[in-house]
Amino acid sequence: MLYEINEKIIRLEREGREIIKFNLGDPDQQTPVEIIEAAFEAMKKGKTKYASAAGEARLREALAEIHGVNADNIVITPGSKWAVFAAMYLLLNKGDNVVIPSPHWTAYDLVAKSLGVNVKLIKTRFESNWEVDVEDLKGLINGRTRLIILNNPNNPTSKVMNEKVVEKIVNVANERGIKVLSDEVYADISFVKTKSLIEYEGEHIVVRSFSKTFAMTGWRIGYAITDKALADKIIKLNQITFTNVPVFIQEAALKALELRHQIVKAMRECYQKRADLANKILSDTKLKFTKPEAPFYVFPKSNGLNSEMFALRLLDKGVAVVPGTSFGDYIEHFRISLTAPDNEIELGLKVIAEAFK
Ligand code: PLP
């Protein structure tokens, strides 16, 4: 379906139509110039060689200090996506099970399938505030369950998980010797406090990223935080695959950390404003949705909607969204990504609102 939508966007744009792209999880902002300059300076200083597969010591130490762990627990990866892949590749064998609350980012599913791993989805619902039912989770666990994947805050609902629910999930995992992977790529810029999995009991995996926080999606830099044994295995996998994230990109990431308070504040304010606008415009319609607690998504529902047909029809009106079926069994939902330039956001939201008056 996403393929069909992308093809249609390309065709319409070729015909000269302008499309407001609410379909991408890629910030419209430019990477802050200080970060770009730090990369350039590092390149000029010759930081263009092979380097450590674990990541630069200074960057690992800076991240360790932020997260209250040791540098040994941090591995720098080309985006958090690689960290997710590496953890799944190293922890799962063919025929194992992984449990994932849905709606969910499709990469988890696709990686699991590529490894011959069975995916058990826990359906969460708008009507229950997207909360994970821990009894449902227990019912899906069996002797082959090796991993539970949480995405906190969630893409596409922008919900931050209830801390008590996370605690219960972690307890179940600890009792049964199952690892939990918490994908927290939206946590740094969430609007409400997001308690990291690092703060719970047990040896688990957290993946984080510079992509969304610092508008650095194309730079490809993220990291895993985990126990030393798994960290060492990820480092070995890095070594035999991509070798290392370029050092000049790691230098840029260090600059991002140095400026993080001011950058995060500005990013959060920008996305909060957009989320407030979406709330205001969409509240005046028949759509049902939970208020975003993090950037960038809204995941509205309309009873009886076929969001695949709707997404194609909406494109004719110049707005691209993603049907809910791209995130699991959610045909009545669609995802709006508030990552278009500010001047397009109100316009695009009004076109959507018009369809649900
Ligand atoms: N995790 C989630 C939930 C995402 O939505 C995305 C990107 O859209 C990623 C991970 C990948 O981020 P990165 O650029 O760090 O690989």
Side-chain angles (χ1 to χ4, degrees):
M1 188 64 205
L2 282 185
Y3 177 76
E4 238 174 304
I5 290 174
N6 286 331
E7 285 298 299
K8 187 161 175 179
I9 294 174
I10 292 167
R11 180 168 56 76
L12 290 171
E13 288 188 329
R14 224 186 283 127
E15 288 166 8
R17 294 280 307 276
E18 281 190 13
I19 305 294
I20 297 178
K21 295 202 186 79
F22 283 161
N23 59 324
L24 305 171
D26 199 348
D28 55 303
Q29 282 103 336
Q30 289 294 321
T31 307
V33 69
E34 298 89 338
I35 297 177
I36 296 171
E37 278 165 1
F40 188 40
E41 284 308 311
M43 278 188 249
K44 285 193 287 187
K45 284 188 187 135
K47 301 208 170 177
T48 52
K49 309 285 187 193
Y50 292 135
S52 160
E56 292 299 286
R58 282 198 302 138
L59 182 58
R60 294 174 81 200
E61 280 157 14
L63 290 167
E65 198 179 323
I66 289 171
H67 293 291
V69 296
N70 292 323
D72 281 351
N73 301 116
I74 307 267
V75 186
I76 309 299
T77 55
S80 62
K81 200 180 204 176
W82 175 264
V84 169
F85 172 80
M88 292 179 76
Y89 178 81
L90 293 165
L91 293 171
L92 297 166
N93 290 312
K94 197 169 175 189
D96 284 344
N97 291 333
V98 55
V99 179
I100 309 173
S102 191
H104 58 287
W105 187 48
T106 38
Y108 312 134
D109 227 359
L110 298 174
V111 172
K113 284 183 183 136
S114 77
L115 299 172
V117 167
N118 301 311
V119 175
K120 307 274 183 192
L121 296 176
I122 313 168
K123 183 152 184 172
T124 69
R125 292 177 174 78
F126 155 78
E127 289 77 7
S128 331
N129 206 22
W130 301 114
E131 217 122 89
V132 175
D133 183 325
V134 181
E135 292 308 312
D136 283 354
L137 173 112
K138 284 184 188 164
L140 292 174
I141 290 176
N142 65 20
R144 294 295 305 264
T145 306
R146 300 278 174 273
L147 187 65
I148 297 168
I149 301 181
L150 306 179
N151 177 205
N152 187 26
N154 176 273
N155 170 9
T157 63
S158 289
K159 275 300 285 183
V160 170
M161 290 186 76
N162 180 314
E163 290 177 13
K164 292 219 165 66
V165 173
V166 178
E167 191 171 345
K168 283 187 193 158
I169 295 172
V170 172
N171 287 343
V172 171
N174 288 344
E175 276 161 23
R176 307 196 189 190
I178 298 168
K179 290 244 187 219
V180 182
L181 185 159
S182 182
D183 176 342
E184 300 176 0
V185 301
Y186 299 98
D188 284 331
I189 43 176
S190 64
F191 311 144
V192 302
K193 186 180 162 280
T194 308
K195 183 170 165 179
S196 173
L197 190 73
I198 305 161
E199 298 173 52
Y200 295 81
E201 280 293 309
E203 293 196 332
H204 300 291
I205 311 118
V206 167
V207 302
R208 293 256 177 161
S209 182
F210 288 80
S211 288
K212 319 285 179 174
T213 314
F214 300 104
M216 289 176 73
T217 48
W219 294 68
R220 309 312 300 135
I221 179 160
Y223 52 102
I225 313 171
T226 190
D227 55 279
K228 188 170 180 317
L230 183 59
D232 286 347
K233 286 186 187 160
I234 300 176
I235 293 166
K236 283 204 181 107
L237 186 61
N238 290 356
Q239 184 64 58
I240 61 168
T241 52
F242 63 89
T243 310
N244 61 275
V245 171
V247 178
F248 52 86
I249 290 178
Q250 297 189 58
E251 291 284 334
L254 261 169
K255 178 56 80 175
L257 292 184
E258 199 185 295
L259 302 177
R260 73 181 187 284
H261 295 299
Q262 73 197 64
I263 295 174
V264 163
K265 185 167 177 283
M267 291 282 181
R268 203 184 275 134
E269 275 171 14
C270 161
Y271 290 118
Q272 176 80 71
K273 241 195 244 160
R274 291 177 182 187
D276 288 347
L277 185 66
N279 255 330
K280 187 161 158 259
I281 294 176
L282 301 180
S283 293
D284 241 359
T285 68
K286 291 188 191 123
L287 289 170
K288 297 183 269 186
F289 58 97
T290 50
K291 206 169 154 197
E293 293 175 340
F296 327 109
Y297 312 109
V298 193
F299 196 52
K301 174 180 184 177
S302 172
N303 290 341
L305 181 75
N306 179 328
S307 58
E308 297 194 342
M309 308 227 312
F310 168 70
L312 286 173
R313 277 203 316 272
L314 193 68
L315 262 182
D316 290 323
K317 297 191 179 135
V319 180
V321 294
V322 181
T325 46
S326 297
F327 309 94
D329 182 18
Y330 294 92
I331 187 105
E332 295 179 313
H333 289 261
F334 59 96
R335 190 191 76 176
I336 301 169
S337 181
L338 299 169
T339 51
D342 271 326
N343 60 344
E344 293 179 10
I345 288 195
E346 183 163 359
L347 208 65
L349 287 169
K350 284 187 170 159
V351 172
I352 294 172
E354 201 50 47
F356 295 99
K357 283 282 181 208

